[in-house]
Structure formats: structure tokens, C-alpha cells
Amino acid sequence: METYYSILPLAAVLVSLLAAGLITLSGRRPNIRESWTLLAGVVKFGIVLAMLPSVLQGRFPEITLFAISQGISLVLRADTLGIIFALSASFLWILASCFSIGYERGLSDHKQTRYFSSFAICLSATIGIAFSANLLTFVIFYEILTIATYPLVIHKETKEAIAAGRKYLVYLLTGGVALLAALALTFHTAGGTDFKAGGFLTMEAGTGMLMALFILFLVGFGMKAAVMPLHSWLPSAMAAPTPVSALLHAVAVVKAGVFGFARAFGFVMGPALLGEIGALNITAGLAGATIIIASLLAFSQDNLKKRLAYSTIGHLSYIVLGVAILSPQAWSGGLMHIVNHAAMKITLFFCAGAIYVTTHREKVSELNGIGRRMPFTMGAFALAAIGLAGIPPVGGFVSKWYLALGALDAGQTVYTVILLVSGLLNAGYLLSVVGRAFFMKSDNFTKFGEASLWMLVPLVITAVLSVLLGLFPDRFFHLYSLSAEVARSVFGGGL
């Protein structure tokens, strides 16, 4: 690994923070306010993309914000793992911003300035998480993301939304306390917190100390990643506007949780050490159970957003399972699923939002025949549903393929079976929606009428992207190469 000084990681964080201020100042001029949102999204993605060539060459841009004391500094570094998360989040923020404009205007929603400024702060925190070079920096941005998302969760300000926001804070701040304890314990044990591929802790710390640290990471990251039984805040948070749900599920919050697992398991404790103390078996078991249980619970949800929420809970644990299996292939598949799942799941939430703004329908049982009225929207929904079920040529198939290969390589056949079964369950609870839309008749939807182009174009783009990521997994953002390189560095060998 070679690092060099660059202001770009900091610029990627600051651009949306600056936009949040400009959005607030432009509150009385919606067109200007929304222009700041879109401009910040494009600039942020451009900055992240500008760092990609050097990262692919093994040269990581880095900047030290300030040193607190010896061994304690706030540092940003764009490494191979971080650039995967940053590319996904920054690109999808552009589309989520476009969709949000259409959604908020379509509903004539209140407090739109607060909405867009909070959204911008969330993306600053997300990029800060992606580019954190040590655990201290990571935890700071991780908690900023929790606080910044709260106004979005309670945006509707109904009793349901306020209760969901309270539950959201209780769960995620509890996870934050666990992470602060993990941070202190890590520094006490190792004398530093800088991320290192393969981990920097050793068995000299003692099995008891390492197991305690593992449990703290499991609780801290498991809260945001919604690993069962730490998941119930996520379905409740569906009281938020649909673009916020897309942010929670595809771009930022829950992805920060699974990204945290990758950092802790691959760059703090290390997979070999975790395997030696038996921690990975615990994590993989919880992830496998979450995949199946969440998929079964999704069937019983008539509210479309809540059905998608349980789908997210299951698919997040695909990623957790990938980093919990002692196999480079599984790691590669899990990291690829960060991006593939983001593209597919944001498509589904965009579709749910377009349906709500256009028809004010939220229940699956009310969608009979809606494919006749909104064929492009439901066609995009169908593509994303196929991908989440693991059917080629959509990106979800590629992720699951490497996850299954990794499980077989590690001699963990049971997890391959879980992946196959979950694919059937995913098809059942998602494709049944597609069946209702296109093959069941209803007098409610007889005329063509899609959502506005502000919403329709982004969901079509993300649906197409989901397919392209399946057909060409290394052409867009070099997803396979980056994921494979992370796996090689963590395991210290080839695939």
C-alpha cells in the first residue's frame, strides 16, 4: 500500500456539507435550493471518480485532519474498500436527489428545505465513513450519520413518524455506545486504531478480551445492519418518506452497518483471528438465520414499503455472511453485493414512491393491474425483483454466485443452501407483486399514467444499471476488480 497527500478525500466530504448550508439559505427559492442539491451530487461523484484511477493502481490519497495525540488522529484515506462504498453512495445520491424533487413536489410536502439539507449532511457523513482511515474517524462519522438521519425519519411529523424516530435513536445510539466501547478497548489493546488489511490485533490480547471486542462490534454494527434480533427499528422507520427509505436501505445508513462489519472483520480484528476464537461462526449463523427469517416475514407484509424493508434486512445479511466466511470468494461476493443491492433496492423504493405519489396506494393487495397504468415503473420493479432473487442477468446473480462459491470453498455447504432457498423466497414475495401488476385485472388502473419524469427517469436508470452490473460487473466502477483486491489484501493471497 502506498499513500500520498491529497485534499480530495476531504473535498468529497465537504462538498455536500457546503451544499447543506446553501440549501438552507435558499429555502425560499425552491429552484435554486434544488439546483444546489443536484450540483453537489454531481461534484461529489466527480471527486470520488477522480480518485478511482490511483486507487486501482494501489496508491491511496490521504489527508490528516489533525492529530489529537500520539496514535490518535483524524485521518481520511480513499482505499480500495472505501472507494467501493463511496462510488455507490455518491452516484446514487444524484438519482435520489432527482427523485426527491419529483416526490416532494408531487406531494407538495412541508419543510422541504430541512429535508434536502439533512439529506446533504447524511451524504457527507456517509463519505466520511467510506474514507475513514482509522476506527476513531469512522466512529465519529458513523454517529454523525445517525443524528443527521433523524430529521428525515420524523419528516412527516405524524405520531407514527415521531415514534419511529424515537425507536431509531434508541437502537442506533445504543449501537453507538457499543462502538465507543469497542474503540476504547481497541486502543487499549493495540495502542492505535489505524485500519490495516488483515487486521492489526493478535491473540496476545487474550481470547476473553478479543471475544468482548467482537461482541461490541457485533452489537454496534449489527444495529445499523439490522441483523436479527437487532432489526425492529428498520420496518418502523418506513414511516419516513419513500426517498428517505431509499436512503436508509440503499445508499447510507444500513450500508454503513455492513461496511462497518467489513472494516472491523477485515481491517481491525482480521478473519484469521476471528476464525480462531470462533466469532465468525457466530456471525455467519446469525446472518444465515436473518436471511431466512426476514424472507419469510416479508411474505406477511401487505404494506409494500414494509415488505421491501424485510427484504433489505435479509439482503444486508448476505453481505454480513460474505465477510463472516473464511473465503476470498465470499468476501468478494459480499462486497459486490453492497453495490448490486444498492442499485436494485433503490429501484424498488423509487417504484414504491412513484406508485404512492401517482395513485396514493401503499398496499400490495391494492396493486392489481397497476402495470397497465404504470408499465415503465412496474417493468423496472420486475427487473430489480429478478435481480434480488438472484436470477441472471441482473447484478444480484453475480453477488450470489461468488457468495455461494465462497461458501463451498470454505466447506460451508449449509450457507450455499441458505442462499439458494432465500433466492426462492425472494422470488416469492417480490415477483408476486409483479404478477399482480401485470396479470391480474382491476377497474382501478385502466389508463396510462406514469409519475413525473423527475421520478420516472431515475428509477429507469437504476433498473438499467442493475442489469449492466450483472452483464459487465467490472466495466462500471471496476466493481469486481476492487472487490477482489480487497479480498486479496485481507487474506494476504490470491483468489
Side-chain angles (χ1 to χ4, degrees), residues 273-285:
L273 183 148
L274 287 165
E276 192 169 346
I277 66 174
L280 289 181
N281 291 331
I282 297 171
T283 309

Side-chain angles (χ1 to χ4, degrees), residues 448-465:
F448 175 83
E450 291 280 2
S452 72
L453 291 178
W454 280 109
M455 290 184 281
L456 183 62
V457 172
L459 68 87
V460 170
I461 290 174
T462 55
V464 172
L465 177 63

